[in-house]
Amino acid sequence: MLWTNPLSKKLPDYGNISNLEDKQAVAQKLACEVKDNQVIGVGSGSTSFLALQKIARTVKEKNFRCSFIPSSREIHMTCLALGLSVASLLDARPDWYFDGADEVDHDANLIKGRGGAMTREKMVMVAAPKTFILVDQTKFVEKLGRKFPIPVEVNQESANYVEEQLLKLGAHETKVRPAKGKDGAIVTESGHFILDAWFNDVSPALEKEIKSITGVIESGLFWGYKPEII
């Protein structure tokens, strides 16, 4: 029997996207950055989803031979559904990377990870010589941590220890992120939990301090990466 409608041909459903017009305008600006034969890293989330659609249209209209390194399985499926060539960090290095953010301060430091893909997002970002962060005005803050907690991806068996250490670092609240579509905690693509940690003071050293805790895989604090904000 022929498989006439595989999942790889269907765009993922991102539901109702907030600030849609602003995000579409930002996505259109980014599409102008695409050139032939580029390798492009793709972040996760609704803003990246909209930008990827605009970029795909540019690639097809200009017959560019580009490939894309996705930062999550969901974005991987989106690339396939749009007919884009997919690569990995094992066989290619991105010429540039784009992604959204949950919070951005005046020095372009970020909090990311509401989608749970911050580990791979950070891996692709550091591999790229240039990063574009796509945000609307609601994402700008005076100080990080005012609207969102810092997501911390942790080995499941280390969750209790990591929570203790985060509290010692100054977190005033931590919570294992619950899943919305099933009972229990959310599990990342690599099989880990996410601890959301609220800090009153997010310092330049905090990213490294969090990463130094045994059992921490990655954090959603992106400090000092100096992306270009669009």
Side-chain angles (χ1 to χ4, degrees):
M1 185 174 97
L2 277 177
W3 194 7
T4 57
N5 197 19
L7 286 175
S8 60
K9 299 299 182 182
K10 300 177 182 177
L11 284 174
D13 182 8
Y14 283 81
N16 294 324
I17 298 175
S18 62
N19 303 310
L20 181 59
E21 290 185 6
D22 289 344
K23 290 180 178 179
Q24 286 179 328
V26 169
Q28 186 59 54
K29 290 180 183 178
L30 187 69
C32 298
E33 297 289 333
V34 182
K35 296 179 176 59
D36 195 15
N37 293 313
Q38 285 185 329
V39 178
I40 301 170
V42 188
S44 302
S46 61
T47 306
S48 293
F49 171 69
L50 294 172
L52 189 58
Q53 290 183 83
K54 299 284 188 183
I55 288 171
R57 190 173 298 119
T58 296
V59 167
K60 290 178 181 179
E61 288 175 352
K62 297 189 177 182
N63 200 28
F64 284 167
R65 292 163 294 177
C66 296
S67 57
F68 297 80
I69 300 178
S71 62
S72 67
R73 291 192 182 99
E74 191 170 39
I75 284 295
H76 189 138
M77 291 176 65
T78 303
C79 288
L80 295 178
L82 292 170
L84 301 174
S85 176
V86 174
S88 79
L89 290 174
L90 290 173
D91 53 38
R93 182 177 182 183
D95 293 293
W96 51 276
Y97 173 72
F98 70 91
D99 204 348
D102 301 320
E103 289 187 354
V104 183
D105 73 8
H106 56 84
D107 288 324
N109 300 308
L110 318 169
I111 287 180
K112 294 174 41 56
R114 277 197 297 163
M118 60 273 190
T119 298
R120 186 159 173 80
E121 288 171 350
K122 197 171 284 189
M123 288 167 56
V124 182
M125 178 185 287
V126 299
K130 188 170 188 177
T131 293
F132 298 98
I133 295 296
L134 318 178
V135 292
D136 58 66
Q137 291 300 315
T138 65
K139 302 301 178 67
F140 290 98
V141 294
E142 285 297 316
K143 293 187 69 176
L144 293 182
R146 290 295 178 259
K147 296 181 179 180
F148 295 101
I150 297 172
V152 182
E153 185 170 356
V154 303
N155 181 283
Q156 292 188 28
E157 294 185 26
S158 298
N160 289 333
Y161 173 76
V162 172
E163 181 181 40
E164 291 175 359
Q165 298 305 307
L166 289 171
L167 293 171
K168 288 181 180 179
L169 285 179
H172 62 83
E173 183 181 352
T174 61
K175 183 187 296 185
V176 175
R177 187 182 299 178
K180 294 182 179 179
K182 71 174 186 67
D183 293 337
I186 192 171
V187 178
T188 69
E189 292 180 359
S190 300
H192 303 125
F193 284 163
I194 293 178
L195 280 175
D196 286 322
W198 283 260
F199 288 83
N200 288 328
D201 183 31
V202 179
S203 67
L206 187 57
E207 181 180 9
K208 291 183 179 179
E209 290 173 341
I210 292 174
K211 285 287 295 289
S212 71
I213 300 172
T214 299
V216 168
I217 309 302
E218 189 53 84
S219 86
L221 182 57
F222 289 63
W223 195 285
Y225 291 84
K226 300 300 181 184
E228 182 174 331
I229 308 298
I230 297 182

